[in-house]
């Protein structure tokens, strides 16, 4: 049987580097001039924007986990914590500090064919983090499903609203980038909506 890991290495390595760049690289944005015209410009990286958003919402930027903050801020704090912890584990033997520094180091690392499975798993994490960061920074319209989450069985979660009051809401929330359980954080991208529909007993939406 042919070993495909060496054949897969170049593309997998490039996808991994692209996913890192999507999170810590400069972003393309549009700025509006005084005459109403728009033109492209470079913006801060997603990870930096997320950190600045948290600092601005907290007022002090000291990383406090005040549970009275609105859900979107708590989600941003949780996402940053997840990114920081996971990336630190990826490079724990290496003397490189900070999430951006660690990811930049990984971006330049030369990998081996046997690293392909781990690289693919890490690329999936990075891709999800970037998509989640975009949703938190520029929230799209979202819908909810009344069904329990097929992964953990939770149908309702209790979260603070913008006024700090605890409210009950459906666990499964669907947005442009996919469906996420607000309890266990299981995520279904749009291409897996058919699987999700089957798991909750719903009828998939036909594209044809």
């Amino acid at each position: 049987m042919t070993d495909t890991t060496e054949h897969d290495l170049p593309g997998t390595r490039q996808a991994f580097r692209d996913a890192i760049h999507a999170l810590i690289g400069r972003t393309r944005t549009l700025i509006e001039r005084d005459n109403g015209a728009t033109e492209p410009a470079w913006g801060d990286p997603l990870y930096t924007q997320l950190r600045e958003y948290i600092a601005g919402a907290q007022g002090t930027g000291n990383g406090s986990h005040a549970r009275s903050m609105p859900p979107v801020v708590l989600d941003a704090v949780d996402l940053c914590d997840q990114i920081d912890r996971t990336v630190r584990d990826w490079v724990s033997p290496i003397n490189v500090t900070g999430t951006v520094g660690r990811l930049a180091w990984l971006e330049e690392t030369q990998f081996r064919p046997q690293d392909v499975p781990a690289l693919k798993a890490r690329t999936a994490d990075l891709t999800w983090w970037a998509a989640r960061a975009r949703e938190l920074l520029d929230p799209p319209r979202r819908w909810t499903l009344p069904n329990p989450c097929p992964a953990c069985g939770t149908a309702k979660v209790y979260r603070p609203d913008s006024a700090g009051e605890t409210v009950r809401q459906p666990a499964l929330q669907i947005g442009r980038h996919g469906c996420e359980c607000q309890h266990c954080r299981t995520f279904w991208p749009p291409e897996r909506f058919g699987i999700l529909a089957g798991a909750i007993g719903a009828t998939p939406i036909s594209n044809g």
Side-chain angles (χ1 to χ4, degrees):
M1 183 173 63
T2 301
D3 184 0
T4 60
T5 54
E6 185 167 359
H7 173 74
D8 290 344
L9 179 59
T12 301
R13 182 173 54 208
Q14 187 59 51
F16 178 63
R17 290 173 174 170
D18 289 345
I20 289 175
H21 184 77
L23 192 65
I24 66 169
R26 302 283 285 180
T27 55
R28 294 285 285 178
T29 186
L30 291 175
I31 59 174
E32 185 173 345
R33 296 299 184 185
D34 293 339
N35 61 3
T38 59
E39 63 179 54
W42 290 104
D44 289 334
L46 279 175
Y47 180 81
T48 302
Q49 292 181 48
L50 199 63
R51 278 292 178 196
E52 291 174 346
Y53 172 70
I54 294 171
Q58 292 174 337
T60 60
N62 61 5
S64 171
H65 282 57
R67 306 316 293 178
S68 62
M69 288 188 293
V72 67
V73 181
L74 297 179
D75 287 344
V77 171
D78 290 342
L79 178 60
C80 273
D81 285 349
Q82 180 186 5
I83 294 171
D84 294 342
R85 288 195 311 269
T86 305
V87 173
R88 185 167 57 246
D89 289 342
W90 288 351
V91 297
S92 56
I94 308 301
N95 187 24
V96 181
T97 60
T99 295
V100 173
R102 292 179 179 118
L103 286 174
W105 181 85
L106 284 169
E107 193 173 5
E108 299 302 322
T109 299
Q110 298 300 314
F111 294 98
R112 305 162 299 172
Q114 55 265 42
D115 296 324
V116 165
L119 285 177
K120 289 183 176 180
R122 292 177 179 183
T123 299
D125 285 339
L126 289 159
T127 301
W128 185 84
W129 293 337
R132 183 63 175 144
R134 292 187 190 98
E135 284 193 340
L136 292 171
L137 294 167
D138 185 18
R141 183 177 180 184
R142 300 184 70 87
W143 297 266
T144 59
L145 295 175
N147 314 73
C149 169
C152 68
T154 301
K156 300 289 184 181
V157 293
Y158 293 86
R159 306 293 299 276
D161 62 13
S162 58
E165 300 292 332
T166 299
V167 297
R168 188 174 71 165
Q169 57 185 223
L172 293 179
Q173 295 192 13
I174 292 183
R176 181 160 49 98
H177 298 291
C179 179
E180 181 183 18
C181 174
Q182 302 302 297
H183 178 71
C184 69
R185 296 302 183 184
T186 300
F187 181 73
W188 293 266
E191 60 268 23
R192 294 181 63 85
F193 278 174
I195 295 174
L196 173 62
I200 64 177
T203 302
I205 298 174
S206 172
N207 292 326

